[in-house]
Amino acid sequence: MSTRSRPADHDRGSRPVISRARAATSAPWPPRTALVTGASSGIGRAAALRLAHEDTRVLLVGRNGTALDEVAAATGGHRFAIDLAVTGAEHAVASRAAELLGDIDLLVCSAGVGAAGPFEMMSPSALRDLVTVNVLSPMMLVRAVLPRMLERGEGRILLVGSVAGAVGVRGEVAYSASKAALIGFADALRSEVAGRGVVVTLCLPGAVDTPFFRRRGAPYVRRWPKPLPAGLVADRMLTAVAHGEPEVWVPGWMSLAARVHGLAPPIYRRLASVFG
Ligand SMILES: NC(=O)c1ccc[n+]([C@@H]2O[C@H](COP(=O)([O-])OP(=O)(O)OC[C@H]3O[C@@H](n4cnc5c(N)ncnc54)[C@H](OP(=O)(O)O)[C@@H]3O)[C@@H](O)[C@H]2O)c1
């Protein structure tokens, strides 16, 4: 177990970023408490393991009780098995967190599902579930914990989006749209709570080596870029949160695609028609 450290002790401690982070929130780093969704697998699991290593008390949220038990044993955290697609789940999660942890210093919204294949073939129920888990559930959960964070004047929110939300990927229409919604949510929320002690960080990963692809029913087939380890993504996104950064792309060069998309849409569309 490590001792508590300030952002300056983390690996990306450039001065301007740190002073902005200090000005943006007084929430401690490492956080004393964290609520992590998607903690039973992949990126959320890796984030929970890292937070526990920093002595953060975590509430692990997912559906798979056996997987949560394994992460709980490794982290010493509490676990809460619940389907976030069910109406009212966010209230159940928020009240369990309040009961077990008290105030939440960090909310990590990593739970998410993918979908691949032609949009016209997607079943309406799968579409509804995807939007519920990827968009509505993080918004509802933030809605549930934000008032107390604002009342305390401190807190950190980490939303796990995707590069697919910034550029739109063919064959992943619903997924791209859901992650685009998260970008709009993060931008608007960050702007709205600015100066009130709560910081919002959006992580935009490219391909990550997790059960995500298997679970969506379509493997990752591109030769390049290679999927990154979940632990690396967790490290990068938590470092960004520590520094109060608004967003972090993993890998960083992927932000280039979004810049081309914004600055030169026709060029972007030509490239996308070739590379997908
Ligand atoms: N892997 C990638 O290439 C990639 C790339 C960019 C962004 N992302 C995003 O990263 C996040 C984490 O994905 P991952 O790669 O770690 O995938 P993963 O290994 O499949 O993990 C997904 C997590 O979400 C949870 N979850 C899904 N539906 C849920 C529901 N209805 N209720 C409660 N929990 C639910 C799962 O819980 P259970 O297993 O317990 O059901 C699991 O813990 C997602 O938001 C994903 O969109 C992934």
Side-chain angles (χ1 to χ4, degrees):
M1 293 278 175
S2 72
T3 53
R4 287 188 170 273
S5 58
R6 299 182 312 171
D9 299 327
H10 284 261
D11 50 347
R12 301 181 52 189
S14 78
R15 276 188 184 285
V17 171
I18 289 164
S19 50
R20 266 209 310 278
R22 284 199 185 123
T25 184
S26 58
W29 193 269
R32 290 162 297 209
T33 56
L35 165 50
V36 182
T37 74
S40 51
S41 180
I43 298 169
R45 176 182 179 279
L49 291 170
R50 273 147 182 78
L51 287 164
H53 189 70
E54 299 287 344
D55 293 346
T56 300
R57 291 164 51 230
V58 280
L59 176 61
L60 312 157
V61 178
R63 282 173 305 185
N64 182 332
T66 311
L68 285 175
D69 282 341
E70 181 261 317
V71 186
T75 57
H78 303 281
R79 43 87 95 197
F80 188 29
I82 189 167
D83 185 345
L84 290 170
V86 169
T87 305
E90 70 282 359
H91 291 303
V93 170
S95 55
R96 185 65 66 90
E99 182 190 312
L100 294 169
L101 302 178
D103 287 326
I104 305 298
D105 287 338
L106 169 65
L107 168 65
V108 179
C109 293
S110 186
V113 288
F119 184 63
E120 72 272 19
M121 305 289 283
M122 189 174 187
S123 80
S125 68
L127 176 54
R128 193 172 295 111
D129 284 353
L130 181 142
V131 173
T132 304
V133 176
N134 290 5
V135 186
L136 202 54
S137 159
M139 289 179 75
M140 289 292 208
L141 206 46
V142 170
R143 172 66 186 84
V145 305
L146 185 62
R148 180 64 190 142
M149 284 184 173
L150 291 172
E151 195 178 282
R152 294 167 61 212
E154 58 181 33
R156 299 176 197 263
I157 294 169
L158 169 59
L159 302 167
V160 181
S162 170
V163 166
V167 293
V169 178
R170 71 170 168 240
E172 300 184 36
V173 172
Y175 180 71
S176 296
S178 73
K179 293 298 183 178
L182 219 49
I183 294 174
F185 175 53
D187 281 344
L189 182 69
R190 186 183 305 113
S191 164
E192 190 168 290
V193 301
R196 299 163 75 190
V198 177
V199 290
V200 179
T201 300
L202 174 69
C203 177
L204 299 108
V208 189
D209 186 10
T210 71
F212 175 87
F213 297 103
R214 177 177 50 74
R215 299 171 84 169
R216 75 176 185 179
Y220 180 77
V221 288
R222 289 171 200 259
R223 286 227 200 113
W224 182 87
K226 260 183 68 153
L228 297 171
L232 183 144
V233 177
D235 283 344
R236 296 268 169 87
M237 70 184 191
L238 290 174
T239 300
V241 175
H243 289 80
E245 289 174 16
E247 65 182 33
V248 55
W249 297 72
V250 192
W253 61 262
M254 280 218 168
S255 66
L256 197 64
R259 277 193 222 138
V260 174
H261 184 259
L263 290 173
I267 295 177
Y268 170 79
R269 278 192 288 274
R270 218 168 308 136
L271 290 171
S273 71
V274 177
F275 297 109

